[in-house]
Amino acid sequence: MTLDVRGIRADFPILGTTAHGRPLVFLDSAASAQKPRAVLEAMQRFYETSYANVHRGVYELSERATAAFEGVRAKTARFLGAAEPREIVFVRGTTEAINLVAHGVARSRLGPGDEVLITELEHHSNIVPWQMACDERGARLRVVGIDERGELRLAELDKLLGPRTKLLALAHVSNALGTVNPVREIVRLAHERGVPVLLDGAQAVPHQRVDVRELGCDFYAFSSHKLFGPSGVGVLYGRAEALEALPPYQGGGDMIASVSFEKTTYQGIPYKFEAGTPDIAGVVGLGAAIDYVSAIGLDRVAAHERELLRQASEALASVPGLRLIGTAREKAAVVSFVMDGVHPHDVGTVLDQQGIAVRTGHHCAQPVMARYGVPATVRASFALYNDASDVEALVRGLAEVRKVFA
Amino acid sequence: MSDLRELYQSVILDHNKAPRNFRRPAAANRTAQGNNPLCGDQLGVFLVVEDGVVKDAAFEGSGCAISTASASLMTESVKGRRLEEVEKLFDGFQRLVTSDATAPAEDAGLGKLAVFGGVREFPVRVKCATLPWHTLRAALAGGRQTATTE
């Protein structure tokens, strides 16, 4: 059942390169993951043999491009356990997916005094769109807190789900802390009060099997680039009725049924949300990425990463003066930490000189940083191509940091 | 690791560990806040300016070793200087940390500030070194302003 990490690494050309003359140790997949050859080749092949605009031409090439594009929609629906392909909307990324829903909710069902509920551990992209929507409509943004471990306070969530709550939006997995939220239970709680739920799945989809119908959520968003696919493509899943209830997002070509200066009628879902020519080859690349991770098996990936998290947490606990930020009982393979007397930015520079790529900063989650009273953290995040040698390199790198800042 | 020693020179490490003029003078008549949204560095610069001379300079805040040491050394080097001299130091410092990495670090009367010559080799860290200086300039430009690196 164990992963053939050596074989997997060989699929990713960039992992054979060096940084500052050292073999690259890539521990920043939570920001963006690297791409396997299968994805790169699928996009190249598509451009060379099947490229044309979609949903337009009557000629063979356009039909082939459309079939490839729509084929990925069906594949994505199966990948997420959606009921039908039309529940999959292609967007630019998780950020756009959330903005699309926030925009639609603001226009269709948010009024003065209404509330949108989010949590303290959200990425800025699951905070700011709701803030904008609430500001526009005179509605109120409410926030569920987290405890010292970085776990959501469920009793507080329960209390904040009120009669004015129009939507609950939260991360499936926290990007800054790695916390895996009990989203199934949370969706059940929200639905008992008739509150629809959007899950930000950007940090979940690359690391575990996700089934949207099992979770019961109304919306689920993720990005291709974190799933080893190209950047610039993302997915919004929405239950058919939930999507139908939203007004269109952008206006333009492809999203209309007919246009006159007097009146325009829109297409049905998902097309009414897909104005303009999409990133066609990017979607094809996403399809190849889904095939890639599906062939390996996300359950096996999850087991592999659980073991890596255990090793990393244990190894980092032995580094003097290091404090882990985020110690939830259910965690993804993300370790966020600070070191006594050394700013995260300096840690990052010293590690970089050793070929080790980590993220330093606030991880687009400033409220989380404020919660822990730190301006920033160092974050090492693991993916299916990392193994114990990467954990060892990180620990050796941190010893070097101590030497420089002795 | 030789590049790292160039960046983290002992003077810089010393000023990071024990920043000079790390306080908020009650008599400050020129102040500004600076922040680097990328890494969360934040600092306040406090100046006492009289008759075109910086009588006192201090700072507070939190940041990485480069920005902390830069702020510390900056307050030391501008204290007692005329405003025109401060402006010259600002220009000289900008050139020092941003000029072509192959050119020799010019001294330009920068004195101790020359220890930041190594920053040139680390383009993503240039903003850490210049944030205190931009904040100082914002303070001198008058009023209570916020400087950012973006």
Side-chain angles (χ1 to χ4, degrees):
Chain A
M1 269 306 273
T2 55
L3 283 193
D4 170 21
V5 176
R6 189 187 292 244
I8 289 172
R9 291 180 66 88
D11 294 336
F12 290 77
I14 210 165
L15 296 179
T17 63
T18 59
H20 298 291
R22 305 288 198 89
L24 175 65
V25 175
F26 190 74
L27 296 176
D28 196 21
S29 298
S32 197
Q34 298 299 346
K35 318 305 172 199
R37 204 172 279 111
V39 166
L40 307 174
E41 287 175 357
M43 293 172 71
Q44 176 84 12
R45 200 165 47 241
F46 176 72
Y47 272 126
E48 286 177 358
T49 63
S50 307
Y51 183 79
N53 210 334
V54 290
H55 311 137
R56 305 268 202 294
V58 293
Y59 50 92
E60 190 204 341
L61 207 50
S62 177
E63 276 173 24
R64 217 183 306 155
T66 304
F69 185 80
E70 292 302 325
V72 177
R73 198 188 303 276
K75 190 192 299 275
T76 307
R78 284 194 300 276
F79 178 65
L80 286 181
E84 322 167 58
R86 68 188 182 115
E87 295 180 321
I88 301 299
V89 180
F90 289 122
V91 290
R92 282 186 300 149
T94 306
T95 297
E96 188 174 48
I98 297 171
N99 274 279
L100 189 161
V101 178
H103 174 271
V105 166
R107 286 197 176 179
S108 63
R109 73 178 92 127
L110 210 53
D114 286 340
E115 296 177 355
V116 172
L117 188 55
I118 61 170
T119 86
E120 198 176 5
L121 51 65
E122 300 310 314
H123 187 281
H124 293 166
S125 62
N126 203 23
I127 301 174
V128 183
W130 303 112
Q131 239 163 9
M132 291 164 74
C134 288
D135 280 354
E136 195 184 309
R137 292 288 161 182
R140 184 166 170 213
L141 188 65
R142 311 218 54 186
V143 184
V144 180
I146 53 174
D147 64 19
E148 194 55 34
R149 281 190 299 244
E151 294 181 3
L152 284 180
R153 297 184 190 277
L154 291 180
E156 197 178 307
L157 175 89
D158 193 46
K159 228 179 276 163
L160 284 171
L161 280 168
R164 303 303 304 262
T165 312
K166 294 296 174 190
L167 187 119
L168 165 64
L170 79 158
H172 188 171
V173 174
S174 146
N175 75 308
L177 303 174
T179 309
V180 180
N181 288 319
V183 287
R184 211 170 143 176
E185 187 188 339
I186 290 171
V187 169
R188 193 179 50 74
L189 271 179
H191 282 179
E192 276 172 12
R193 322 284 165 81
V195 175
V197 181
L198 174 142
L199 296 177
D200 166 358
Q203 299 293 346
V205 164
H207 308 289
Q208 64 178 84
R209 205 171 46 80
V210 171
D211 185 316
V212 288
R213 273 186 293 173
E214 221 172 271
L215 297 176
C217 57
D218 303 272
F219 300 102
Y220 197 97
F222 77 91
S223 295
S224 155
H225 74 97
K226 289 193 200 321
L227 185 68
F228 318 101
S231 56
V233 174
V235 167
L236 171 67
Y237 155 81
R239 265 191 319 106
E241 312 89 88
L243 283 180
E244 273 158 2
L246 293 181
Y249 180 44
Q250 295 181 329
D254 226 22
M255 54 81 74
I256 48 86
S258 75
V259 175
S260 72
F261 289 116
E262 288 69 40
K263 181 163 177 60
T264 290
T265 53
Y266 305 120
Q267 289 240 50
I269 64 168
Y271 304 109
K272 75 171 180 182
F273 300 112
E274 295 182 355
T277 296
D279 186 346
I280 306 165
V283 166
V284 168
L286 166 63
I290 289 175
D291 287 341
Y292 183 80
V293 295
S294 301
I296 292 171
L298 279 166
D299 285 333
R300 291 170 71 211
V301 169
H304 171 72
E305 291 183 10
R306 222 172 0 255
E307 175 59 17
L308 271 181
L309 173 67
R310 193 190 59 76
Q311 290 172 2
S313 306
E314 218 174 275
L316 291 181
S318 68
V319 174
L322 184 146
R323 175 162 73 107
L324 281 176
I325 304 287
T327 49
R329 286 161 294 188
E330 286 296 322
K331 252 189 87 167
V334 167
V335 283
S336 227
F337 59 91
V338 291
M339 282 175 90
D340 281 350
V342 191
H343 192 278
H345 215 159
D346 296 310
V347 175
T349 292
V350 178
L351 292 178
D352 172 52
Q353 287 293 304
Q354 301 169 78
I356 304 166
V358 293
R359 173 82 189 269
T360 64
H362 52 58
H363 317 295
C364 297
Q366 285 182 342
V368 173
M369 301 295 112
R371 165 70 179 74
Y372 286 94
V374 295
T377 71
V378 182
R379 182 188 68 188
S381 54
F382 299 85
L384 45 78
Y385 40 59
N386 294 114
D387 64 13
S389 72
D390 297 316
V391 175
E392 287 156 20
L394 176 63
V395 171
R396 273 199 310 276
L398 293 174
E400 188 63 33
V401 172
R402 269 285 160 242
K403 245 189 260 169
V404 173
F405 288 89
Chain B
M1 294 300 136
S2 60
D3 283 354
L4 274 182
R5 297 290 170 200
E6 273 294 301
L7 179 66
Y8 295 115
Q9 300 200 20
S10 55
V11 175
I12 291 179
L13 292 174
D14 172 50
H15 277 257
N16 174 47
K17 233 180 203 170
R20 320 298 198 264
N21 302 310
F22 192 81
R23 58 191 163 80
R24 184 191 294 244
N29 55 5
R30 298 276 206 284
T31 69
Q33 293 293 318
N35 67 72
N36 181 343
L38 197 68
C39 59
D41 284 1
Q42 283 186 326
L43 87 164
V45 167
F46 311 96
L47 306 170
V48 179
V49 179
E50 282 167 20
D51 306 326
V53 175
V54 178
K55 298 280 191 192
D56 193 8
F59 79 104
E60 274 184 356
S62 78
C64 64
I66 304 301
S67 72
T68 303
S70 176
S72 174
L73 280 152
M74 176 186 80
T75 54
E76 278 195 328
S77 61
V78 300
K79 222 190 277 189
R81 301 260 195 173
R82 300 199 57 78
L83 294 182
E84 312 83 77
E85 295 176 288
V86 171
E87 192 60 26
K88 257 188 210 146
L89 279 179
F90 177 93
D91 290 339
F93 189 81
Q94 285 288 111
R95 271 201 305 280
L96 174 74
V97 297
T98 57
S99 57
D100 185 346
T102 55
E106 52 179 317
D107 194 316
L110 289 171
K112 265 193 199 172
L113 295 175
V115 296
F116 289 98
V119 174
R120 283 185 305 189
E121 311 275 355
F122 295 80
V124 296
R125 305 304 301 272
V126 168
K127 286 175 176 176
C128 309
T130 56
L131 176 64
W133 287 90
H134 285 293
T135 311
L136 171 92
R137 212 188 209 186
L140 289 176
R144 291 172 178 274
Q145 301 203 2
T146 298
T148 84
T149 53
E150 301 306 307

